[in-house]
Amino acid sequence: MIKKIGIMTGGGDCPGLNAVIHAVVRSAVNSYGWQVLGFRDGYRGLVLNDYVELNSDSVIGLLDRGGTVLGTSNKDNAFDFRVELPDGGVEYRDLSAQVISNLRADGVDALIIIGGDGTMTAAELFHKLGVTVIGVPKTIDNDLCGTDVTFGFNTAVDTATGALDKLHSTAESHHRLMVLEVMGRYAGWIALASGLAGGADIILIPELPYDIGKVQAAIARRRAAGRHFSIIVVAEGAAPLGGEMVTKRIIAGSPDPVRLGGVGAVVAQQLEQLTGMEARTTVLGHLQRGGRPIPYDRLLATRFGAAAAQALKDGISGCMVALRGSDIVTVPLAEIAGKQRLIGKDEELVEIGRRLGVCFGD
Ligand code: F6P
Protein backbone atom coordinates (compact mmCIF):
# COMPACT_ATOMS: atom_id res chain seq x y z
CA MET A 1 0.00 0.00 0.00
CA ILE A 2 1.51 3.29 -1.11
CA LYS A 3 1.29 6.25 1.27
CA LYS A 4 4.16 8.41 0.14
CA ILE A 5 5.91 8.79 -3.22
CA GLY A 6 9.02 10.64 -4.37
CA ILE A 7 9.38 12.48 -7.65
CA MET A 8 12.55 13.64 -9.36
CA THR A 9 13.60 15.26 -12.67
CA GLY A 10 16.97 14.19 -14.12
CA GLY A 11 19.09 14.98 -17.19
CA GLY A 12 18.87 18.13 -19.30
CA ASP A 13 15.70 20.11 -18.65
CA CYS A 14 12.99 20.43 -21.26
CA PRO A 15 9.63 22.15 -21.63
CA GLY A 16 6.88 20.14 -19.92
CA LEU A 17 8.75 18.87 -16.84
CA ASN A 18 6.67 21.08 -14.57
CA ALA A 19 3.48 19.90 -16.26
CA VAL A 20 4.41 16.30 -15.34
CA ILE A 21 5.09 17.35 -11.73
CA HIS A 22 1.73 19.16 -11.73
CA ALA A 23 -0.13 16.06 -12.97
CA VAL A 24 1.64 13.63 -10.64
CA VAL A 25 1.08 15.75 -7.53
CA ARG A 26 -2.54 16.54 -8.35
CA SER A 27 -3.41 12.87 -9.03
CA ALA A 28 -1.39 11.59 -6.07
CA VAL A 29 -2.91 14.05 -3.59
CA ASN A 30 -6.45 14.46 -4.94
CA SER A 31 -7.21 10.96 -6.18
CA TYR A 32 -5.06 8.66 -4.07
CA GLY A 33 -4.41 10.61 -0.86
CA TRP A 34 -0.63 10.11 -1.10
CA GLN A 35 2.05 12.43 0.23
CA VAL A 36 4.63 13.57 -2.34
CA LEU A 37 8.29 14.47 -1.80
CA GLY A 38 10.06 16.31 -4.61
CA PHE A 39 13.78 15.47 -4.68
CA ARG A 40 15.97 18.32 -5.91
CA ASP A 41 18.48 18.31 -8.76
CA GLY A 42 18.02 14.81 -10.13
CA TYR A 43 19.90 11.90 -8.55
CA ARG A 44 21.88 14.41 -6.43
CA GLY A 45 18.75 15.05 -4.32
CA LEU A 46 18.20 11.32 -3.79
CA VAL A 47 21.83 10.81 -2.72
CA LEU A 48 21.88 13.85 -0.40
CA ASN A 49 18.26 13.35 0.75
CA ASP A 50 17.47 16.88 -0.37
CA TYR A 51 13.72 17.20 -0.89
CA VAL A 52 10.71 19.45 -0.52
CA GLU A 53 7.16 18.36 0.32
CA LEU A 54 4.76 18.99 -2.54
CA ASN A 55 1.01 19.49 -2.24
CA SER A 56 -1.76 20.85 -4.45
CA ASP A 57 -0.78 24.43 -3.55
CA SER A 58 2.85 23.91 -4.53
CA VAL A 59 1.93 23.05 -8.11
CA ILE A 60 -0.34 26.02 -8.81
CA GLY A 61 0.79 27.76 -12.00
CA LEU A 62 3.18 24.99 -13.04
CA LEU A 63 1.40 23.74 -16.13
CA ASP A 64 2.83 26.27 -18.55
CA ARG A 65 6.12 27.03 -16.80
CA GLY A 66 9.41 26.06 -18.52
CA GLY A 67 12.27 24.21 -16.81
CA THR A 68 11.70 22.24 -13.61
CA VAL A 69 10.92 23.66 -10.18
CA LEU A 70 12.75 20.69 -8.68
CA GLY A 71 16.01 21.52 -10.45
CA THR A 72 17.90 18.92 -12.45
CA SER A 73 21.37 17.71 -13.28
CA ASN A 74 22.79 15.96 -16.33
CA LYS A 75 26.04 15.07 -14.63
CA ASP A 76 25.08 13.39 -11.34
CA ASN A 77 24.84 9.62 -11.35
CA ALA A 78 23.99 7.84 -8.05
CA PHE A 79 25.97 4.80 -9.19
CA ASP A 80 29.08 6.86 -9.99
CA PHE A 81 28.68 9.92 -7.78
CA ARG A 82 31.29 12.67 -7.59
CA VAL A 83 32.55 13.04 -4.01
CA GLU A 84 34.89 15.87 -3.05
CA LEU A 85 37.55 14.65 -0.60
CA PRO A 86 38.91 16.69 2.34
CA ASP A 87 42.36 16.84 0.67
CA GLY A 88 40.82 18.60 -2.35
CA GLY A 89 40.77 15.44 -4.47
CA VAL A 90 37.72 13.95 -6.17
CA GLU A 91 36.46 10.37 -6.14
CA TYR A 92 33.52 8.69 -7.92
CA ARG A 93 31.53 6.29 -5.70
CA ASP A 94 28.49 4.04 -6.01
CA LEU A 95 26.05 5.70 -3.57
CA SER A 96 22.94 3.75 -4.60
CA ALA A 97 22.76 2.11 -1.14
CA GLN A 98 22.61 5.59 0.42
CA VAL A 99 19.67 6.46 -1.84
CA ILE A 100 17.81 3.32 -0.75
CA SER A 101 18.42 3.98 2.94
CA ASN A 102 17.30 7.62 2.50
CA LEU A 103 14.06 6.44 0.87
CA ARG A 104 13.45 4.01 3.74
CA ALA A 105 14.13 6.68 6.36
CA ASP A 106 11.78 9.12 4.58
CA GLY A 107 9.04 6.48 4.30
CA VAL A 108 8.97 6.79 0.51
CA ASP A 109 7.23 3.74 -0.96
CA ALA A 110 7.76 4.46 -4.65
CA LEU A 111 9.53 6.81 -7.03
CA ILE A 112 8.47 8.58 -10.22
CA ILE A 113 11.60 9.39 -12.18
CA ILE A 114 11.36 11.81 -15.10
CA GLY A 115 14.30 11.79 -17.48
CA GLY A 116 16.07 10.74 -20.63
CA ASP A 117 18.08 7.64 -21.44
CA GLY A 118 20.79 8.11 -18.77
CA THR A 119 18.17 8.74 -16.08
CA MET A 120 16.06 5.75 -17.22
CA THR A 121 19.11 3.46 -17.23
CA ALA A 122 19.77 4.36 -13.59
CA ALA A 123 16.04 4.00 -12.80
CA GLU A 124 16.20 0.43 -14.13
CA LEU A 125 19.19 -0.27 -11.84
CA PHE A 126 17.22 1.02 -8.83
CA HIS A 127 14.30 -1.19 -9.85
CA LYS A 128 16.66 -4.17 -9.88
CA LEU A 129 17.74 -3.20 -6.35
CA GLY A 130 14.12 -3.46 -5.20
CA VAL A 131 12.92 0.15 -5.46
CA THR A 132 9.37 0.58 -6.79
CA VAL A 133 9.84 2.93 -9.72
CA ILE A 134 8.01 4.32 -12.75
CA GLY A 135 9.83 6.32 -15.42
CA VAL A 136 8.50 9.23 -17.48
CA PRO A 137 10.27 9.92 -20.81
CA LYS A 138 11.48 13.46 -21.41
CA THR A 139 13.97 14.99 -23.79
CA ILE A 140 13.95 17.54 -26.57
CA ASP A 141 16.10 15.06 -28.54
CA ASN A 142 13.23 12.55 -28.93
CA ASP A 143 15.82 9.75 -28.84
CA LEU A 144 14.26 7.52 -26.15
CA CYS A 145 13.31 3.99 -27.13
CA GLY A 146 9.90 2.59 -26.27
CA THR A 147 7.87 5.75 -26.91
CA ASP A 148 6.82 7.31 -30.20
CA VAL A 149 7.47 10.80 -28.80
CA THR A 150 8.98 12.36 -25.69
CA PHE A 151 7.46 15.53 -24.25
CA GLY A 152 9.60 18.62 -24.90
CA PHE A 153 10.49 17.56 -28.43
CA ASN A 154 7.64 19.35 -30.14
CA THR A 155 8.31 22.59 -28.26
CA ALA A 156 11.96 22.44 -29.41
CA VAL A 157 10.76 21.81 -32.98
CA ASP A 158 8.43 24.80 -32.67
CA THR A 159 11.35 27.02 -31.58
CA ALA A 160 13.63 25.76 -34.37
CA THR A 161 10.88 26.14 -36.98
CA GLY A 162 10.23 29.71 -35.84
CA ALA A 163 13.96 30.42 -36.26
CA LEU A 164 13.90 28.97 -39.80
CA ASP A 165 10.92 31.14 -40.72
CA LYS A 166 12.89 34.22 -39.67
CA LEU A 167 16.11 33.11 -41.35
CA HIS A 168 14.28 32.69 -44.67
CA SER A 169 13.49 36.36 -45.16
CA THR A 170 16.97 37.62 -44.31
CA ALA A 171 18.62 34.85 -46.40
CA GLU A 172 16.53 35.80 -49.39
CA SER A 173 17.17 39.54 -49.03
CA HIS A 174 20.95 39.09 -48.86
CA HIS A 175 21.26 36.13 -51.25
CA ARG A 176 23.05 34.19 -48.55
CA LEU A 177 23.46 30.70 -47.22
CA MET A 178 21.95 30.48 -43.77
CA VAL A 179 23.05 27.58 -41.58
CA LEU A 180 20.98 26.77 -38.48
CA GLU A 181 22.62 24.39 -35.99
CA VAL A 182 20.12 22.60 -33.76
CA MET A 183 20.48 20.22 -30.80
CA GLY A 184 19.62 16.53 -30.68
CA ARG A 185 22.84 14.79 -29.61
CA TYR A 186 23.34 11.67 -31.74
CA ALA A 187 19.81 11.84 -33.22
CA GLY A 188 18.59 14.13 -36.00
CA TRP A 189 14.92 14.33 -34.99
CA ILE A 190 14.87 18.08 -34.23
CA ALA A 191 16.74 18.88 -37.47
CA LEU A 192 14.50 16.62 -39.56
CA ALA A 193 11.18 17.78 -38.13
CA SER A 194 12.00 21.51 -38.00
CA GLY A 195 13.75 21.34 -41.37
CA LEU A 196 10.66 19.95 -43.05
CA ALA A 197 8.25 22.20 -41.15
CA GLY A 198 10.43 25.25 -41.84
CA GLY A 199 11.03 24.49 -45.54
CA ALA A 200 14.81 23.96 -45.31
CA ASP A 201 16.59 23.18 -48.58
CA ILE A 202 19.27 21.01 -46.99
CA ILE A 203 19.03 18.94 -43.79
CA LEU A 204 22.11 17.27 -42.33
CA ILE A 205 21.55 14.63 -39.64
CA PRO A 206 23.87 12.25 -37.78
CA GLU A 207 22.15 9.18 -39.20
CA LEU A 208 23.04 10.16 -42.79
CA PRO A 209 26.74 11.15 -43.05
CA TYR A 210 27.06 14.00 -45.53
CA ASP A 211 29.24 14.67 -48.55
CA ILE A 212 29.85 18.43 -48.69
CA GLY A 213 30.20 18.16 -52.48
CA LYS A 214 26.60 16.97 -52.69
CA VAL A 215 25.47 19.90 -50.55
CA GLN A 216 27.38 22.25 -52.87
CA ALA A 217 25.70 20.63 -55.89
CA ALA A 218 22.24 21.12 -54.33
CA ILE A 219 22.98 24.83 -53.80
CA ALA A 220 24.23 25.10 -57.41
CA ARG A 221 20.98 23.53 -58.67
CA ARG A 222 18.96 26.06 -56.71
CA ARG A 223 21.01 28.94 -58.13
CA ALA A 224 20.55 27.61 -61.66
CA ALA A 225 16.80 27.67 -60.96
CA GLY A 226 17.03 31.32 -59.90
CA ARG A 227 17.06 30.80 -56.13
CA HIS A 228 19.99 32.76 -54.82
CA PHE A 229 19.78 31.70 -51.19
CA SER A 230 19.62 28.40 -49.34
CA ILE A 231 18.59 27.35 -45.86
CA ILE A 232 20.61 24.57 -44.27
CA VAL A 233 19.63 22.88 -40.99
CA VAL A 234 22.50 21.01 -39.35
CA ALA A 235 21.99 18.71 -36.38
CA GLU A 236 24.77 19.14 -33.83
CA GLY A 237 25.67 15.46 -34.31
CA ALA A 238 25.94 15.61 -38.11
CA ALA A 239 29.28 14.42 -39.49
CA PRO A 240 30.84 14.05 -42.94
CA LEU A 241 31.16 10.63 -44.51
CA GLY A 242 34.17 8.97 -42.85
CA GLY A 243 34.58 11.98 -40.48
CA GLU A 244 33.92 12.74 -36.84
CA MET A 245 31.22 14.66 -34.99
CA VAL A 246 32.34 18.06 -33.66
CA THR A 247 32.78 18.05 -29.88
CA LYS A 248 32.44 21.33 -27.97
CA ARG A 249 33.42 20.13 -24.50
CA ILE A 250 33.77 17.12 -22.23
CA ILE A 251 31.97 17.15 -18.86
CA ALA A 252 33.87 14.89 -16.44
CA GLY A 253 31.65 12.56 -14.43
CA SER A 254 28.56 13.01 -16.62
CA PRO A 255 26.91 9.72 -17.69
CA ASP A 256 27.41 11.00 -21.26
CA PRO A 257 30.39 13.37 -20.97
CA VAL A 258 30.46 14.52 -24.62
CA ARG A 259 28.81 17.84 -25.46
CA LEU A 260 28.50 18.35 -29.21
CA GLY A 261 28.52 21.69 -31.01
CA GLY A 262 30.27 23.65 -33.73
CA VAL A 263 29.45 21.67 -36.88
CA GLY A 264 27.25 24.52 -38.19
CA ALA A 265 30.24 26.87 -38.41
CA VAL A 266 32.35 24.18 -40.08
CA VAL A 267 29.68 23.55 -42.74
CA ALA A 268 29.15 27.30 -43.33
CA GLN A 269 32.85 27.93 -43.82
CA GLN A 270 33.25 25.02 -46.24
CA LEU A 271 30.21 26.08 -48.25
CA GLU A 272 31.39 29.68 -48.44
CA GLN A 273 34.65 28.48 -49.96
CA LEU A 274 33.02 25.97 -52.30
CA THR A 275 30.17 28.18 -53.56
CA GLY A 276 31.60 31.69 -53.28
CA MET A 277 28.35 32.72 -51.54
CA GLU A 278 28.30 34.46 -48.18
CA ALA A 279 27.25 32.16 -45.35
CA ARG A 280 26.11 32.86 -41.80
CA THR A 281 25.58 30.47 -38.90
CA THR A 282 22.97 30.59 -36.14
CA VAL A 283 23.37 28.23 -33.20
CA LEU A 284 20.02 27.89 -31.44
CA GLY A 285 21.51 26.16 -28.40
CA HIS A 286 19.59 26.20 -25.14
CA LEU A 287 16.81 28.37 -26.54
CA GLN A 288 15.43 25.00 -27.68
CA ARG A 289 15.25 23.77 -24.10
CA GLY A 290 13.87 26.82 -22.34
CA GLY A 291 10.54 28.54 -22.10
CA ARG A 292 6.90 27.51 -22.04
CA PRO A 293 5.83 24.13 -23.42
CA ILE A 294 3.47 24.30 -26.38
CA PRO A 295 -0.02 22.88 -25.68
CA TYR A 296 0.88 19.53 -27.31
CA ASP A 297 3.70 19.02 -24.79
CA ARG A 298 1.61 20.23 -21.83
CA LEU A 299 -0.99 17.67 -22.75
CA LEU A 300 1.48 14.83 -23.33
CA ALA A 301 3.29 15.67 -20.08
CA THR A 302 -0.04 15.73 -18.24
CA ARG A 303 -1.05 12.36 -19.71
CA PHE A 304 2.35 10.89 -18.80
CA GLY A 305 2.22 12.27 -15.23
CA ALA A 306 -1.30 11.00 -14.59
CA ALA A 307 -0.42 7.60 -16.13
CA ALA A 308 2.72 7.30 -13.97
CA ALA A 309 0.72 7.83 -10.76
CA GLN A 310 -1.96 5.43 -12.04
CA ALA A 311 0.69 2.78 -12.81
CA LEU A 312 1.94 2.94 -9.21
CA LYS A 313 -1.64 2.71 -7.98
CA ASP A 314 -2.05 -0.41 -10.16
CA GLY A 315 1.01 -2.00 -8.55
CA ILE A 316 3.26 -1.63 -11.63
CA SER A 317 7.01 -1.09 -11.16
CA GLY A 318 10.14 -1.12 -13.34
CA CYS A 319 8.29 0.42 -16.27
CA MET A 320 8.24 3.68 -18.21
CA VAL A 321 5.04 5.30 -19.41
CA ALA A 322 5.08 5.79 -23.17
CA LEU A 323 3.06 7.01 -26.12
CA ARG A 324 2.28 4.33 -28.72
CA GLY A 325 0.08 5.63 -31.48
CA SER A 326 -2.55 7.57 -29.57
CA ASP A 327 -2.41 5.39 -26.43
CA ILE A 328 -0.43 5.77 -23.24
CA VAL A 329 1.10 2.42 -22.29
CA THR A 330 3.79 1.11 -19.93
CA VAL A 331 6.99 -0.50 -21.22
CA PRO A 332 9.57 -2.36 -19.11
CA LEU A 333 12.60 -0.19 -18.33
CA ALA A 334 14.74 -3.27 -19.09
CA GLU A 335 13.62 -3.05 -22.73
CA ILE A 336 14.69 0.54 -23.20
CA ALA A 337 17.61 1.13 -20.78
CA GLY A 338 20.90 1.99 -22.48
CA LYS A 339 19.33 2.26 -25.95
CA GLN A 340 18.77 5.22 -28.24
CA ARG A 341 16.09 5.77 -30.85
CA LEU A 342 17.80 7.13 -33.93
CA ILE A 343 16.28 7.96 -37.32
CA GLY A 344 15.91 4.67 -39.22
CA LYS A 345 16.76 4.02 -42.85
CA ASP A 346 13.06 3.89 -43.81
CA GLU A 347 11.97 6.95 -41.85
CA GLU A 348 8.92 8.39 -43.56
CA LEU A 349 9.94 12.02 -43.04
CA VAL A 350 13.27 11.43 -44.81
CA GLU A 351 11.48 9.79 -47.74
CA ILE A 352 9.00 12.66 -47.95
CA GLY A 353 11.84 15.17 -47.78
CA ARG A 354 13.61 13.47 -50.67
CA ARG A 355 10.41 13.50 -52.76
CA LEU A 356 10.09 17.23 -52.08
CA GLY A 357 13.65 17.83 -53.24
CA VAL A 358 15.34 18.31 -49.86
CA CYS A 359 19.05 17.44 -49.96
CA PHE A 360 20.30 15.27 -47.07
CA GLY A 361 23.89 15.48 -48.25
CA ASP A 362 24.10 11.72 -48.78
O1 F6P B 1 19.86 16.05 -24.29
C1 F6P B 1 19.41 17.36 -24.37
C2 F6P B 1 20.50 18.28 -24.86
O2 F6P B 1 19.97 19.59 -24.97
C3 F6P B 1 21.15 17.86 -26.17
O3 F6P B 1 20.38 18.16 -27.30
C4 F6P B 1 22.45 18.61 -26.08
O4 F6P B 1 23.44 17.98 -26.84
C5 F6P B 1 22.79 18.57 -24.62
O5 F6P B 1 21.57 18.32 -23.93
C6 F6P B 1 23.41 19.84 -24.09
O6 F6P B 1 23.77 19.64 -22.76
P1 F6P B 1 24.19 20.81 -21.77
O7 F6P B 1 22.95 21.44 -21.25
O8 F6P B 1 24.99 20.11 -20.72
O9 F6P B 1 25.00 21.80 -22.58
Side-chain angles (χ1 to χ4, degrees):
M1 249 271 286
I2 291 176
K3 289 197 179 123
K4 196 189 276 186
I5 65 167
I7 180 169
M8 169 278 243
T9 52
D13 71 342
C14 86
L17 284 166
N18 283 325
V20 179
I21 296 169
H22 175 262
V24 167
V25 173
R26 292 276 286 260
S27 341
V29 174
N30 294 349
S31 294
Y32 311 132
W34 298 339
Q35 276 181 278
V36 185
L37 302 188
F39 287 88
R40 293 194 181 96
D41 300 333
Y43 283 110
R44 166 165 287 272
L46 286 166
V47 169
L48 303 179
N49 206 23
D50 181 12
Y51 64 81
V52 59
E53 279 209 42
L54 299 173
N55 55 36
S56 294
D57 284 350
S58 11
V59 296
I60 290 171
L62 281 198
L63 198 51
D64 65 340
R65 199 159 136 192
T68 161
V69 285
L70 291 177
T72 189
S73 162
N74 60 2
K75 49 179 203 252
D76 291 311
N77 176 357
F79 293 87
D80 193 23
F81 197 77
R82 182 189 158 97
V83 177
E84 282 168 21
L85 303 171
D87 66 1
V90 166
E91 207 172 77
Y92 288 86
R93 292 188 195 150
D94 178 355
L95 294 182
S96 52
Q98 190 169 315
V99 170
I100 292 170
S101 80
N102 287 341
L103 293 175
R104 271 199 204 113
D106 299 337
V108 171
D109 304 303
L111 279 180
I112 291 181
I113 291 184
I114 311 164
D117 59 348
T119 311
M120 288 306 133
T121 302
E124 157 65 359
L125 294 177
F126 276 113
H127 168 66
K128 280 195 186 138
L129 291 173
V131 179
T132 300
V133 55
I134 291 290
V136 179
K138 71 85 225 184
T139 167
I140 61 163
D141 303 336
N142 203 29
D143 60 351
L144 257 178
C145 280
T147 184
D148 293 352
V149 192
T150 52
F151 71 85
F153 168 65
N154 278 293
T155 302
V157 170
D158 188 63
T159 301
T161 305
L164 286 170
D165 292 346
K166 290 186 176 170
L167 288 175
H168 255 100
S169 59
T170 173
E172 193 168 7
S173 308
H174 284 269
H175 318 297
R176 278 175 174 163
L177 303 177
M178 283 293 183
V179 177
L180 179 70
E181 180 182 309
V182 297
M183 282 183 167
R185 268 198 325 170
Y186 309 113
W189 293 109
I190 299 176
L192 179 59
S194 65
L196 285 186
D201 308 298
I202 293 142
I203 302 174
L204 305 182
I205 56 176
E207 294 87 343
L208 296 172
Y210 63 85
D211 172 345
I212 201 73
K214 292 193 175 164
V215 178
Q216 177 196 2
I219 293 166
R221 281 195 298 276
R222 280 180 54 77
R223 286 172 91 180
R227 296 185 187 99
H228 296 282
F229 72 96
S230 286
I231 303 288
I232 302 133
V233 182
V234 184
E236 62 181 357
L241 200 61
E244 300 284 318
M245 293 181 184
V246 183
T247 298
K248 190 166 60 184
R249 63 172 70 183
I250 301 288
I251 310 282
S254 172
D256 180 3
V258 176
R259 294 294 181 274
L260 298 168
V263 65
V266 172
V267 167
Q269 196 195 16
Q270 286 177 334
L271 289 178
E272 209 165 57
Q273 277 165 5
L274 289 168
T275 64
M277 291 172 77
E278 258 192 88
R280 295 287 188 270
T281 313
T282 303
V283 181
L284 262 190
H286 292 80
L287 287 177
Q288 294 157 98
R289 290 232 306 254
R292 303 166 77 204
I294 61 169
Y296 176 91
D297 278 332
R298 289 183 213 178
L299 204 51
L300 184 59
T302 299
R303 292 179 77 194
F304 278 163
Q310 176 72 48
L312 288 181
K313 179 74 184 159
D314 293 344
I316 298 172
S317 176
C319 284
M320 181 184 82
V321 295
L323 183 72
R324 293 270 174 87
S326 55
D327 296 330
I328 303 288
V329 299
T330 52
V331 291
L333 283 167
E335 272 178 25
I336 54 124
K339 295 185 194 152
Q340 276 175 335
R341 193 174 76 92
L342 302 179
I343 295 173
K345 290 217 172 328
D346 304 324
E347 170 56 41
E348 188 206 11
L349 289 183
V350 173
E351 288 310 313
I352 291 174
R354 290 193 199 283
R355 270 184 258 151
L356 267 54
V358 174
C359 166
F360 288 91
D362 61 332

